[in-house]
Amino acid sequence: MVEFEIVKGDITRFPAEAIVNAANRYLEHGGGVAYAIAKAAAGDPREYIRISKEAMREQIGRGYIEHGEVVVTPAMRLEKHGIRYVIHTVGPYCGGIWDGDKKEKLRKAILGALRKAEELGVKTIAFPAVSAGIYGCPLEEVVKTFKEAVEEFRKEARGVERVYLVLYSEGDYERALRVV
Ligand code: ADP
């Protein structure tokens, strides 16, 4: 059984075996949670961008990822929190607009990371609210899509036991808890 838990915290120090990065398709890690993870992992965010792009070339074979495709990089300095891997996924850009297409792209982005966690053999995985920041998707819809994606994943999960959705601000956390 896969448990889904909404928590408040900073994902760069969240003790899950894998954490997910809300990346852009080029893994540039220029702002938001991506920049925070890159800086915390490598010290110099530019170094983590270099590592991510190299990993993308090796794992995907090109210089960008589509929704549902993910890239794995080592946790480096995040290992002191028990984190072993960073899984980069790309959610949809909404700019305030939400529709079926955005939802499908987000569902793919979440499931791609969950399936990679299975492949990596980890028991715990933590996500930020992918697309609910700079990409401007409504937080409530993002949380709802997380719940549905985890529900879908339950049917195929073998090793993953716990999925965390980590909200950074108190306000977002309160709003996320109210989503049914
Ligand atoms: P996107 O471009 O996919 O919207 P962002 O990085 O802008 O990605 O934001 C995604 C979510 O991550 C936002 O809700 C933002 O508040 C949150 N966030 C930012 N920093 C952190 C952090 N250190 N830990 C967890 N969540 C974070």
Side-chain angles (χ1 to χ4, degrees), residues 9-12 22-23 31-34 36 128-136 166-168 172:
D10 177 348
I11 203 155
T12 65
V33 73
V130 177
S131 285
I134 299 163
Y135 277 10
V166 182
L167 281 309
Y168 196 46
D172 282 356

Side-chain angles (χ1 to χ4, degrees), residues 49-171:
I49 293 168
R50 193 192 61 71
I51 290 166
S52 301
K53 284 179 178 287
E54 195 177 295
M56 177 158 59
R57 279 271 163 224
E58 278 167 19
Q59 295 167 34
I60 308 287
R62 51 174 143 72
Y64 63 92
I65 52 170
E66 306 278 11
H67 306 290
E69 292 180 331
V70 298
V71 173
V72 183
T73 52
M76 302 176 78
R77 295 181 187 185
L78 305 182
E79 274 177 13
K80 64 173 176 283
H81 305 295
I83 300 166
R84 293 168 59 201
Y85 306 104
V86 178
I87 302 174
H88 304 268
T89 198
V90 60
Y93 175 82
C94 292
I97 314 281
W98 182 255
D99 57 25
D101 176 57
K102 317 271 186 202
K103 190 181 179 82
E104 180 54 20
K105 285 172 176 161
L106 183 58
R107 177 185 156 272
K108 279 188 183 171
I110 297 164
L111 280 171
L114 289 170
R115 287 174 180 148
K116 182 58 75 175
E118 276 287 322
E119 216 179 290
L120 293 169
V122 303
K123 289 191 170 67
T124 52
I125 176 171
F127 286 80
V130 177
S131 285
I134 299 163
Y135 277 10
C137 302
L139 181 73
E140 279 76 9
E141 296 296 346
V142 168
V143 174
K144 211 182 286 179
T145 308
F146 262 98
K147 289 191 167 185
E148 291 165 10
V150 173
E151 190 62 50
E152 187 178 344
F153 174 68
R154 281 200 177 106
K155 298 175 199 128
E156 59 188 81
R158 297 287 174 271
V160 173
E161 294 174 357
R162 213 163 257 275
V163 179
Y164 297 93
L165 175 58
V166 182
L167 281 309
Y168 196 46
S169 76
E170 179 66 32

